Every structure is written in C-alpha cells, then in structure tokens.
Amino acid sequence: MSTSSLVNEELQPSPTPAPPRPVFAVAMVGLVFAVVVSLVMVKAVLMLRHFNHDGPVSTTVGVILVVLTLYAWYPAAKALGAGQQRASLLSQDQLVPSRRIAARGREDALIAMGYAAAGLIVALLLIIVLAKDGGVATTFFALHPIRLSFNQVIHAFWINIWVACVSEVLVLILGLVVAIVRMLPGRAGAPLRMIAMVYCDIFRAIPAIVVIMLIVFGLPLTGVRFFQTMPLTWLGIIALTLTYSAYVSEVYRAGLASIHPSQSAAARSLGLSYTQTLRTVLVPQAVRRVIPPLLNDFISLQKDTALLSVAAISEALLVAKLWEAQLFNLSPIALVAAFFIIITIPQARFVDYLIDRDAARRAGK
Amino acid sequence: MAFLEIDGVHKSYGHHEVLKGVTLNVERHEVVCLIGASGSGKSTLLRCVNALEDIQDGVIRIDGDTVTGAGVDLNALRRDVGIVFQSYNLFPHMSVLENIMLAPMRVGGVKKREALERAERLLESVGMEDKAKSYPDMLSGGQQQRVAIVRALAMQPRVMLLDEITAALDPELVGDVLEIVRELAHGGLTMLLATHEMGFAKEVASQVCFLDAGSILERGSAQDIFENPREERTQQFLSRVVKSGRL
Ligand SMILES: Nc1ncnc2c1ncn2[C@@H]1O[C@H](COP(=O)(O)OP(=O)(O)O)[C@@H](O)[C@H]1O
Ligand SMILES: [Mg+2]
C-alpha cells in the first residue's frame, strides 16, 4: 500500500493501550507520611510551649502549625479514594477512565508527600532550635542582647547600605568603561585593551578582603595627602568598586557579545560610527539583557560591605562584634545576618521577576 | 562611467574564496538583479559594496569615488548607500519612528523636526503611519521589512542594495514589500538587488546577473536570462527554481 520509502507501516504500528498505573501503594505511603509529620509537629509544638512557659503566643503559633500539617491529609485521602475508583472501573473494563483516575490519584499522592515534606522540615528545624532546653535559641536569638545592641547595629547598618549604593553606582560606570575598552577595535586600541585585561585579571584574582586591607591601610601610607585626608569609608568604597568593576565588566562584555552582529551591521550601514553604534544600538540592548546578572553581583557586593569591618570601618558587623565581645552572646551578629536577609530577599525576588519576564517575552507573549 | 562600478572583486573568509573576481556595473537609475543559488555569494557581494566586509583584491567605485581600501571615509560612503537585509535587523529597543530618525539625526545632521516630518511622510507612503509608535517585536515580518526599507530611504541614499528582502516573509506579505520596491524602481532609484522572486526580477530588472560559486557566469536582460539561458548551470538553476514554484 505504501509507496514512499519515507513511510513504513511496520515501523509505525498503532500502540496497544497501556494499563492504568497503580495508585493504592503510593496513596498509602502519602497518608502514613502525612500522619507521621503531624505527630512530629505536635512534638515540636510541645517543646515550643515548654520553652515559652506555656505562653498564649506559643500556643496560638503551635495550633496553627499543627493545623497546617493536617492539610497534607486531604490529598492523601483523595488519592486513596482514587485507588478504589480505579479498581472498580478496571473491573468494569473501562480502561481509559480508570487510567485518568489513576493519573489524578498518583498526582494527589505526590502533592500530599510534598506538603508533608515541607511540614517535616519546619518541624525538625523547630526541634533543633529548641533542643537542649533552647540551646540554639539562646545562642543566636536571645532577646536581651538583641534589644541592647539593636539601636547601634541598625545605625551602623546604614553605613553598609550607603557604601553599597555608592559603590554600585561607581561600579556601573567603571565596569561599563572597562568592558568597552576591552572591545576597542584595531591596533590603536591594543594597548588600552591590554591594560583593561590586566586590570580585570588582577582584581578578579585578589580576594576582596585583601584588596580592602591593602587599599584602606595602604593608600594613606603612600603619603599622598588626598588619600590621607580621605575618610576610611571612602577608601572602603574605592576597594569594593575596584573589585566589583572587574566582575561587572565581564557581565557587560558578555551582554555586548550576545547582541547579534547583524545589529551592528545595520547601524554601520546607516553611516553610524563605531562609537555611535555602541552608544545608541549596542549598549542600550546589552544593558537591558544583563540587568539580572548585574543585580546578582550587586547582592554579592552588598554582602561584602561586611568585609569592611576588617578595616576598622564601623559598619554593622564591626559594631555587632563589639557587642558580642561584651555580652558573650552571638545574637547581635545574628541580628546583622537578619538585616542582610531583609534587604536581599526583595532584590532576589526582583531578579527572578525580571528573568521570568524576559523568558515570557522571548516565548513571544 | 557607470554609477556603481564593481571591478574584479575578490573576497575570502580565511582560505575560503567566496567572490572570485566579480565585475559588475550599475548605471544611474538602473535596477540590477543578482540571482544564484544559496551560498553563491550574493549577500557577500552586497556587503562588500557597503564596505561591511573588506575585500582582498579589486576596486569598488561609486560615482567615480573609490570606496575600498585604506583611507576611505566609510561613514560618509555609507550615507550614500542604503542596504536592506533579509532579516530586517531593526533595532528592537527603539520604536519605528526612532529607528527611522536615528541615522538622519545622528549622521545626517538633520534637525529633529525635519527628521520627524520625513519619517512620517515615508511611513505614510508605505501605509504604516499608524505603526509609528510601535516597537519592531509588535510588527509582522512584512511590516518590519517595510520599516527597514523606510529606514534606509530616510538617509536619501543614491543607491540601494536589497538582499533577498522577501525571503523570510510569509507568501501573502511579499506583495506589499515588492510593491514598494517597484515604486522605487519606477521613481528612478538606482538599485542592486539579490532576489529569488524571478517574476519580480523579470518585471523591474534592466539587467540580471547569474552568480555561480563566486563569479558572474551569465548576464543580460531578464528576457535573455530567463527564456534563453546559454550556460548549462544557469539552466539547471532556473529549472530548480521552476520546480520549487517560484517562477
Ligand atoms: N562571515 C562569514 N564567515 C565565513 N564564511 C562566510 C561568512 N559569510 C558568508 N560566508 C560564506 O560565503 C559563501 C557565500 O555566502 P553568501 O554571500 O551569504 O551567499 P548567498 O547570499 O548567495 O546565499 C557561503 O559559502 C558562506 O558559507
Ligand atoms: Mg544571502
């Protein structure tokens, strides 16, 4: 019947319908797991109440946590029901409907396990924190030291934020300049290209903490009055800017390289010069593309402002360390960690949002 | 002397010689069509004329001025030579108007008001005045290509190079774009175009050149080339084109 060599019916037989996949066992595992997690959570909540001397807050929180774990029981129960339905449909020889029920049941069972696993992690964390009569809690989250140090630490944290913001602006500029210099065309650009490359190599090689010590302690020792009178914080900003511009220039460079050469050809064919092409066509497109990786580098720069504590710049970590030494308790330092978390999480979500948006745009939405 | 003279041009990418001594003259107000198989060097030749590629040997002159070799003001040359690419190559971060006004303002020294008027007039003449504020991603291929033609025209070039500008378009969009080229041809714009639209080439070309493996194997009027090709390679190429339903 078939006359074309491209089509061979023997190789393309119609498939026999697959039997429904089993449900009952997974559903059972999901249900047992959900029940066990709820029990573990009850244990964790009891520890919490004990630690809090049966206070009303801990009771409320505890009830909420336990109720939340119960949520995993529901899909597990649904999956069990689906298992029974599958069996009865199958006995009536209703293959397709039973397969559909089975697929849905397995999915429900997996959902139950997912919720239960999340509950288990929360419960275990709670148990660890409260173990040894709250040993972890009093080491990291003791309220009294936090209360004492809070004011000074948050004030010092403004220095971190200020240093980060100023450095980021400088890095945006210097990084772009270095990236462009590294792409200068022709023999005329060769010496500058070389210098830019050496700069990148060196400052990506030296650990940030070493750059900070060399610059903050070293520059004033050079005898240049400008550096001797410069506030330490500004020296710290110079150090961070030098370190991060080397990274960021690579990000820009990747962005510029990712623009298709046809864009540059189109611009040049209209008579735009190399510089005009860079400024009006390549850089604007590259910057848009590199915003997510750029923000990632900025998050990392913000964290590295804590390194300035080695150079006696009184940012949050340095202040917190003084309190820690005085109170013999790590909680002020945990407080610094909390501050960094608070400023970083919105930015991380924002990066995710940008990446999703770009993906959606590329998918043609 | 012809307006555009391409004289013994050789072009290689590394060891791969793509143009092997191409000689071709385009008179003022003439429309010359390049045909030839994919990979025969049509795009490369057009890119050389616009100095987007440098050549290893030969000379290209426009209105008597040599445009190849060292010491040529390429940016000045390119003001006179417009090129439209197969893949449109609009700037995606600029609106249609900005795409069109960029070069006249930055390169041509035209005032913003005047550039805007010129852009709007040109858009109107290709039936796209309502898309002035749109971005390229929001346009169909045919619309993007019309904008690309307008963008090149806004520099008021003396010669236009068109590189298979309808090859990437859905069939029903080809007509609109060719209509514009037809109008340009009738208006007397000097053009050198690579195309697979043989019917269209017949209609507008005063000269058709068949490019084969980097050299011009046969040239003549559209009538001669399409009806009585002398070379066997030309005949083969044309019969393949007929088979694919393009003639
Ligand atoms: N940038 C490049 N580098 C190396 N080879 C190229 C490049 N551009 C084109 N070529 C080669 O040159 C030949 C001619 O290409 P092209 O001018 O695009 O042909 P056409 O436009 O006629 O299809 C092809 O063999 C192609 O592989
Ligand atoms: Mg081509």
Side-chain angles (χ1 to χ4, degrees), chain A residues 137-161:
Chain A
T138 45
T139 305
F140 295 113
F141 308 116
L143 284 183
H144 184 62
I146 288 181
R147 243 183 242 129
L148 282 181
S149 61
F150 189 88
N151 252 330
Q152 284 192 16
V153 172
I154 200 166
H155 266 101
F157 192 66
W158 279 113
I159 295 187
N160 294 69
I161 292 183

Side-chain angles (χ1 to χ4, degrees), chain B residues 13 16 18 37-44 164:
Chain B
Y13 290 109
H16 177 35
V18 177
S38 170
S40 57
K42 305 181 295 294
S43 302
T44 307
E164 292 187 38

Side-chain angles (χ1 to χ4, degrees), chain A residues 220-234:
Chain A
L221 293 179
T222 55
V224 179
R225 252 195 80 71
F226 178 71
F227 291 127
Q228 284 172 331
T229 54
M230 188 177 252
L232 284 190
T233 321
W234 271 98

Side-chain angles (χ1 to χ4, degrees), chain B residues 85-187:
Chain B
F85 304 92
Q86 177 177 340
S87 51
Y88 335 128
N89 299 358
L90 294 179
F91 306 129
H93 60 299
M94 297 184 189
S95 70
V96 164
L97 268 183
E98 287 164 342
N99 262 282
I100 300 170
M101 290 161 62
L102 175 72
M105 283 169 57
R106 302 249 172 199
V107 183
V110 177
K111 290 268 178 313
K112 185 168 182 185
R113 267 262 301 287
E114 201 192 325
L116 183 65
E117 272 170 24
R118 194 190 290 177
E120 282 174 339
R121 207 172 48 239
L122 283 166
L123 276 178
E124 206 181 313
S125 63
V126 299
M128 297 229 358
E129 60 277 18
D130 54 328
K131 300 289 182 191
K133 297 258 160 30
S134 305
Y135 283 78
D137 289 346
M138 302 150 68
L139 303 179
S140 74
Q143 291 171 329
Q144 290 193 47
Q145 195 58 295
R146 279 186 273 165
V147 173
I149 295 174
V150 165
R151 181 175 70 176
L153 287 175
M155 284 302 283
Q156 305 181 324
R158 299 203 286 165
V159 52
M160 278 278 263
L161 313 171
L162 309 180
D163 186 4
E164 292 187 38
I165 58 171
T166 58
L169 298 181
D170 289 337
E172 83 270 19
L173 302 176
V174 169
D176 287 345
V177 172
L178 290 185
E179 181 56 38
I180 296 167
V181 182
R182 191 175 290 128
E183 207 176 311
L184 295 176
H186 291 158

Side-chain angles (χ1 to χ4, degrees), chain A residues 163 167 212 215-216 231-241 308 313:
Chain A
V163 166
S167 307
I212 288 169
I215 297 234
V216 179
L232 284 190
T233 321
W234 271 98
L235 290 167
I237 288 174
I238 291 180
L240 284 174
T241 303
L308 296 186
I313 293 169

